[in-house]
Amino acid sequence: MADDRVFRLDAQVVFRGKPMRVAGRMLLEGASGQSTFRYLLSDESGAPVLLEQAGEHRYALLRAFPPAARPATAGNTITVGVERYTLVGVRRLKVLELLGQAPGPVARSEMLVSGMYEGLMGTMMREMVPGTNRQVYYLIRPVETGDVLSAAAYAAAREADSRAAGEAALDDD
Amino acid sequence: MPDRPTRSARHARRSRIALAALAAAAASLALAAGVGMAPIGAAIDGVLALALLGALSYAAVESGLSARWSDAAVVTAQVAAAFLLLAWLTFRAANAQPLIPLLYVVAALFAVLQLERGRLFALAAFALVAHGTALFMSIDHSGKPPLPEAGLQLGALLLVFLWLIYAAGTVRRLRARLAAARSRLHDFEREANERASRDALTGAYHQRHLAEALEREIARAERVGKPLSVARIDLDRLGALNAAHGQIAGDVALRRFTAAATGALRDVDVLGRHGGKEFLAIMPDTGLQGAVVAAERVRAAVAREPVPEVDGRRHLSCSLGVAEHRKGENTRLLIGRAEAGLAYAKAAGRDQVVALDPDGKPVLVEPA
């Protein structure tokens, strides 16, 4: 992923129309060498938002469970309430870079084992640091294209929208 | 709109005006005595009478005695006393008689903007009787002024008083209109502020208002030691509804959700839109147990709202994460914990309430 497609620490971004700041950034490397960025976005008063950048403009929203949550696990399944999630894949990730606030309970150079689970309610992720009892559960939500933009790209998109609306209004005349 | 002066500031300003008027009247009397228009004894008596009048009025207002009277500023009594003093001067200072009607007008000007028409008529009648009596006593005593001149003075005074009363009525009507316009403007301002703090689509409070309200409530909860809880609420399957039936159907669902949730919450609770389909309810003076009951009430009310069929469901639903404020916790941490509860509720099947117990463990709430 080229650097100009990655948000810097403290960069201003707009997530679903809400102006936010990149308060933390983590670079992860997979077993086959592919890199993944995670961003911790924060604004003045709301809760932080955790995003994973899977491709150039592809993001997933990671909604963390309460740290004390311990869903029942049995074999390859996790049960949350009455919903069952089945393991569909495991990633081994190495933390290559950690800037600002850590997006999750990890430190630099640590390894993460990330299990992806599928269920009727969507995708869940269980992430553990091997050799420790640290683990976090996330509910994963896809983020639509255009929901995460740099502040400059957002302003440009708004400008284009308002121009298009103006032209449409003129056409109506 | 400029701020209205406080009661004490208005009071101080009026006292200063009254004091200046008394000082001007006393200086006029001294000047009249100096140029021989009035006997020195009459000027001294006049100054003393003015000082006494000022002191009595000030005492009546300052002691709060006049607050019970219909004329709390004691304007009627002060102007009537001023007329009496002028009538007395008419009798004592015959040389100054041609100037005294002007002083009646000056004294009357203090009353025209403050008293209603009935009192003004009564004061005018009182002034004419007092001045007329003084003139006729003066004719008997010193032969001044000649009778036709006395009649002219009284006639002119009557005309001036009538004109002043008419002008006062016009000014009063204008002031009433101005007060009504000011009141309307105040209402518009309040309405504009209310609209500015609400989301145009749903009518729920928008995020900035929500953040301010939460900060205020956290500060209050810490100050008075009362509990405070919040619920993060998220509409379920809104994306699917938008995809299947268009964004208008989604907008209708958002409005129905807001109406149902507002109805299920108390008046003191604050419901605001936190993002696209995300809402936050702030529940002051409410512990976790009460908040769970309220959240379940919201969930049940929303679940009764019909929507076009999506994924085999014909009713709206929402998931809620509830957390109680912990001492020293800021808005981000509190909302973050409620949000974690919401994530758990979503994963557990949606249309659920999840509360975070004191140890931070998520607890699924059984539907009522």
Side-chain angles (χ1 to χ4, degrees):
Chain A
M1 223 176 295
D3 276 354
D4 60 342
R5 291 160 194 168
V6 172
F7 294 125
R8 283 175 293 105
L9 187 69
D10 288 327
Q12 296 296 318
V13 296
V14 178
F15 174 60
R16 290 180 176 162
K18 204 189 299 182
M20 302 189 96
R21 183 179 66 86
V22 177
R25 191 179 84 171
M26 183 159 69
L27 174 59
L28 300 159
E29 189 184 56
S32 54
Q34 83 279 16
S35 53
T36 304
F37 279 96
R38 277 191 199 167
Y39 302 103
L40 187 79
L41 307 182
S42 75
D43 64 0
E44 280 175 13
S45 55
V49 168
L50 187 56
L51 291 178
E52 183 169 298
Q53 188 170 14
E56 190 181 327
H57 291 298
R58 286 196 299 124
Y59 298 90
L61 175 64
L62 311 185
R63 302 180 94 159
F65 279 14
R70 289 288 173 267
T73 52
N76 285 344
T77 61
I78 293 177
T79 307
V80 184
V82 293
E83 293 299 323
R84 291 182 66 180
Y85 294 83
T86 308
L87 184 69
V88 291
V90 176
R91 296 183 295 173
R92 293 185 73 82
L93 303 165
K94 186 177 182 189
V95 181
L96 288 185
E97 177 196 74
L98 193 54
L99 298 172
Q101 266 178 271
V106 286
R108 200 187 155 147
S109 302
E110 274 187 325
M111 290 296 295
L112 283 173
V113 177
S114 185
M116 307 296 281
Y117 295 78
E118 294 280 357
L120 286 175
M121 293 296 130
T123 308
M124 257 184 67
M125 185 166 84
R126 181 189 188 189
E127 210 155 66
M128 294 180 290
V129 181
T132 72
N133 58 359
R134 280 178 282 160
Q135 62 172 325
V136 187
Y137 291 87
Y138 297 98
L139 185 66
I140 299 183
R141 285 280 176 260
V143 174
E144 284 179 31
T145 314
D147 273 358
V148 184
L149 293 171
S150 67
Y154 182 74
R158 291 286 296 255
E159 175 69 21
D161 282 352
S162 81
R163 273 193 197 163
E167 279 164 17
L170 285 175
D171 287 347
D172 285 348
D173 288 347
Chain B
M1 206 184 298
D3 288 341
R4 196 174 156 78
T6 61
R7 190 186 161 87
S8 60
R10 287 203 306 272
H11 202 127
R13 193 169 63 97
R14 278 184 193 159
S15 296
R16 280 199 300 274
I17 291 171
L19 209 64
L22 286 174
S28 305
L29 282 173
L31 188 66
V35 297
M37 289 179 84
I40 292 175
I44 293 171
D45 289 350
V47 169
L48 288 176
L50 283 170
L52 182 67
L53 173 64
L56 284 175
S57 306
Y58 187 76
V61 173
E62 277 299 306
S63 65
L65 183 70
S66 67
R68 280 173 271 165
W69 303 341
S70 60
D71 177 13
V74 210
V75 174
T76 315
Q78 288 188 80
V79 173
F83 286 166
L84 214 53
L85 182 64
L86 288 171
W88 176 79
L89 280 175
T90 306
F91 175 68
R92 285 289 306 275
N95 290 340
Q97 276 173 0
L99 294 177
I100 287 176
L102 275 178
L103 299 178
Y104 274 102
V105 176
V106 172
L109 281 173
F110 280 97
V112 289
L113 295 179
Q114 301 190 48
L115 299 181
E116 81 275 13
R117 187 183 287 220
R119 276 179 195 255
L120 287 178
F121 270 118
L123 275 176
F126 179 73
L128 288 170
V129 170
H131 190 63
T133 308
L135 282 175
F136 288 111
M137 281 171 66
S138 177
I139 291 168
D140 279 352
H141 187 253
S142 62
K144 282 184 182 176
L147 195 58
E149 195 181 306
L152 268 176
Q153 267 193 36
L154 284 175
L157 213 52
L158 174 66
L159 278 177
V160 170
F161 278 139
L162 287 176
W163 185 87
L164 280 178
I165 291 169
Y166 170 76
T170 307
V171 170
R172 195 172 300 110
R173 277 193 296 280
L174 285 174
R175 286 172 81 176
R177 263 191 247 167
L178 201 63
R182 190 189 166 103
S183 164
R184 277 202 303 276
L185 202 62
H186 186 69
D187 290 346
F188 284 142
E189 190 186 7
R190 207 174 44 207
E191 198 181 314
N193 282 340
E194 180 71 10
R195 283 190 183 187
S197 62
R198 286 185 184 270
D199 170 51
L201 174 67
T202 62
Y205 286 109
H206 64 48
Q207 203 176 351
R208 205 177 68 197
H209 180 90
L210 207 55
E212 287 168 1
L214 186 56
E215 268 181 29
R216 203 170 46 238
E217 288 303 336
I218 285 179
R220 197 178 74 88
E222 300 228 328
R223 199 173 57 246
V224 300
K226 290 268 181 89
L228 166 73
S229 296
V230 297
R232 269 283 287 108
I233 314 170
D234 200 298
L235 258 73
D236 300 328
R237 300 182 185 85
L238 190 70
L241 181 71
N242 279 332
H245 299 283
Q247 201 179 330
I248 291 175
D251 288 352
V252 170
L254 282 165
R255 280 200 211 103
R256 287 202 177 148
F257 160 80
T258 311
T262 305
L265 292 166
R266 302 168 303 174
D267 286 347
V268 292
D269 298 334
V270 180
L271 178 73
R273 196 171 175 194
H274 204 245
K277 61 183 183 113
E278 300 168 5
F279 291 80
L280 181 79
I282 304 170
M283 293 172 269
D285 301 338
T286 310
L288 190 63
Q289 244 179 339
V292 164
V293 172
E296 176 53 28
R297 213 165 45 223
V298 169
R299 190 205 61 75
V302 172
R304 285 193 291 270
E305 291 294 321
V307 285
E309 186 173 317
V310 178
D311 298 341
R313 297 172 69 107
R314 290 181 165 275
H315 290 87
L316 207 56
S317 73
C318 63
S319 304
L320 301 94
V322 182
E324 183 179 351
H325 174 250
R326 291 173 177 164
K327 199 168 169 53
E329 193 175 42
N330 64 19
T331 54
R332 285 183 201 184
L333 292 172
L334 178 59
I335 297 175
R337 285 197 302 120
E339 190 133 347
L342 173 66
Y344 196 88
K346 287 272 187 192
R350 304 188 181 112
D351 195 14
Q352 316 235 16
V353 175
V354 166
L356 294 190
D357 75 5
D359 299 327
K361 282 189 186 148
V363 179
L364 277 167
V365 177
E366 289 292 317

